[in-house]
Amino acid sequence: MFSGSIPALVTPFRDGAFDAPAFKRLVEWQIDEGTSALVPCGTTGESPTLGFEEHYRVIDACLEAAAGRVPVIAGCGSNDTATAICHMRYAQQAGAAAALVVAPYYNKPSQEGMIAHYRALADACDLPIVVYNVPGRTVADISAETMCQLAEIPTVVAIKDASGDLARVTVHRAGAGADFCQLSGNDDLWLPHAVLGGAGCISVTANVAPRLCADFAAACAAGDWAGALVLHDRLFVLHKAMFSDASPAPAKYALSRIHDWFSLEVRLPIIQASAASRAAVDAALVAAGVL
């Protein structure tokens, strides 16, 4: 259902508040540079620090700026099933194409609890769901076998897999079908994930280098693995730099270097990128040819 380079958009702040004009400029730039879909209110968008009203303002701003040109996959995850349902219903009525729903964090549900959570979401709202598995943040891992069961739910249309386990791409393809949409959640593993059957990536780096990431995605889609490898090598140092400090601080710093209208402001408990991180980002931007 989705493919290509899909940035997990940062949420710009200025003087402590959501900077809607900067966000809309970011969306416009992304679309101009070849981005194929947009994800507001994901982890990279600092969603844990957004109140409900603010969360919905970000979704609305993304949809307004995108104006139907690319799909918007709204971040709707929560460790509270009722809250996730609330987010999904809002995103659906606002016009989102799908909901990105992270595995419930902190609670540590069983695999049966995971299935019950996503079934409850699907029963309450028919907005398509992109399941997000990121055990490094949530602690609770959605096993490959559980994911194949979730794929049987009609509105579960895709997975963003940040488990780092590339073998799962094959297990998911075998259990959920070759047409089930698999998206990488790890920029540095995007190339091998694509080789194994992945359709694209929900990316941090694409915030900063959308054209390069879109070109890389196009090479993968065309089966131009030699060309994709060249672009992968060019992007790899940037992928690493985006996590040289707590995300999304490095990405926001990078955007402030590219665009004079973008503030590097983050919200606690994230703090601005360290001097070492900034140096790594600066070097990566030059190496990738972004600056």
Side-chain angles (χ1 to χ4, degrees):
M1 186 171 183
F2 304 105
S3 63
S5 177
I6 306 171
L9 293 169
V10 298
T11 303
F13 302 119
R14 192 170 294 274
D15 299 325
F18 169 49
D19 187 349
F23 186 68
K24 290 178 180 180
R25 290 182 76 173
L26 177 65
V27 168
E28 192 67 37
W29 180 58
Q30 287 287 334
I31 294 172
D32 287 347
E33 293 289 292
T35 285
S36 59
L38 299 163
V39 176
C41 299
T43 307
T44 310
E46 296 174 83
S47 58
T49 72
L50 301 175
F52 275 32
E53 181 180 348
E54 199 171 36
H55 188 121
Y56 299 156
R57 284 181 60 215
V58 175
I59 292 173
D60 287 342
C62 190
L63 286 161
E64 181 180 339
R69 290 173 291 172
V70 297
V72 171
I73 306 167
C76 292
S78 175
N79 63 338
D80 170 38
T81 303
T83 295
I85 289 170
C86 182
H87 289 343
M88 284 182 62
R89 286 174 171 167
Y90 185 89
Q92 183 174 44
Q93 64 87 23
L100 179 70
V101 182
V102 70
Y105 42 87
Y106 190 77
N107 312 54
K108 296 181 68 174
S110 66
Q111 296 302 300
E112 292 78 11
M114 293 283 193
I115 293 169
H117 173 74
Y118 285 101
R119 285 196 185 280
L121 301 185
D123 288 345
C125 180
D126 61 2
L127 184 66
I129 296 170
V130 179
V131 173
Y132 180 19
N133 187 34
V134 57
R137 288 186 179 273
T138 64
V139 181
D141 182 21
I142 302 174
S143 73
E145 293 72 22
T146 295
M147 189 61 236
C148 291
Q149 292 183 61
L150 292 176
E152 296 174 2
I153 300 171
T155 53
V156 172
V157 299
I159 180 173
K160 174 187 177 183
D161 186 12
S163 69
D165 181 2
L166 288 167
R168 295 189 187 200
V169 185
T170 301
V171 177
H172 293 158
R173 194 173 69 250
D179 293 333
F180 184 72
C181 179
Q182 297 194 60
L183 302 168
S184 176
N186 298 97
D187 287 274
D188 58 347
L189 297 178
W190 188 349
L191 178 56
H193 189 276
V195 170
L196 290 165
C201 181
I202 296 180
S203 164
V204 176
T205 304
N207 277 283
V208 174
R211 174 56 63 186
L212 277 177
C213 288
D215 289 347
F216 172 78
C220 291
D224 177 12
W225 301 118
L229 183 60
V230 170
L231 289 167
H232 166 81
D233 288 347
R234 187 173 164 188
L235 283 163
F236 192 75
V237 66
L238 199 51
H239 295 331
K240 292 299 186 183
M242 290 301 97
F243 292 93
S244 56
D245 210 334
S247 182
K252 284 191 162 182
Y253 171 70
L255 282 165
S256 77
R257 296 278 285 116
I258 297 166
H259 299 297
D260 60 8
W261 44 264
F262 197 94
S263 168
L264 47 70
E265 189 174 326
V266 289
R267 279 186 177 169
L268 290 171
I270 303 300
I271 60 173
Q272 291 186 13
S274 66
S277 174
R278 293 184 186 206
V281 169
D282 285 338
L285 290 172
V286 172
V290 177
L291 284 182

